[in-house]
């Protein structure tokens, strides 16, 4: 079953429940700051595990003590879908356990 794009209104409603996440063009984005490079690396590994479980992957960037994500659904034409929102929710749920802010 094809994944349907979310409307701009639907995206805004979802983002209201995802502090720190925003719409940048056609992607949901978020950057996290962590206390150390090791903590950031651990968070990247945890996010990679979630992405494998969901079979949905973001552009995931590891900095010195930062982690950044940008995601949309390529199979829907590079737009934001519920799959992207679900990934954002899952990442947001795990971020606190890594001390991300």
């Amino acid at each position: 079953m094809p994944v349907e794009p979310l409307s701009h209104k639907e995206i805004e409603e979802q983002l209201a429940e995802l502090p720190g996440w925003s719409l940048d063009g056609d992607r949901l984005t978020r950057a996290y700051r962590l206390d150390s490079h090791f903590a950031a690396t651990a968070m990247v590994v945890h996010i990679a595990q979630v992405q494998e479980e969901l079979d949905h992957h973001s552009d995931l960037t590891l900095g010195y003590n930062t982690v950044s994500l940008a995601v949309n659904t390529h199979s829907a034409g590079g737009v934001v879908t519920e799959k992207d929102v679900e990934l954002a929710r899952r990442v947001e749920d795990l971020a606190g356990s890594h001390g991300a802010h």
Side-chain angles (χ1 to χ4, degrees), residues 1-51:
M1 176 185 274
V3 180
E4 295 297 319
L6 295 177
S7 70
H8 190 71
K9 182 179 183 221
E10 290 170 319
I11 294 168
E12 292 299 322
E13 289 170 355
Q14 297 289 352
L15 288 175
E17 299 175 13
L18 291 165
W21 286 84
S22 62
L23 182 63
D24 183 9
D26 60 357
R27 302 171 135 220
L28 296 183
T29 63
R30 173 76 153 96
Y32 296 92
R33 182 163 295 284
L34 293 98
D35 292 335
S36 70
H37 184 66
F38 185 80
T41 302
M43 185 171 165
V44 165
V45 171
H46 199 169
I47 292 169
Q49 179 183 16
V50 168
Q51 292 181 143

Side-chain angles (χ1 to χ4, degrees), residues 51-70:
Q51 292 181 143
E52 286 297 305
E53 289 171 13
L54 295 175
D55 191 27
H56 189 59
H57 302 83
S58 68
D59 288 335
L60 181 58
T61 305
L62 172 64
Y64 172 66
N65 52 338
T66 60
V67 174
S68 301
L69 294 95

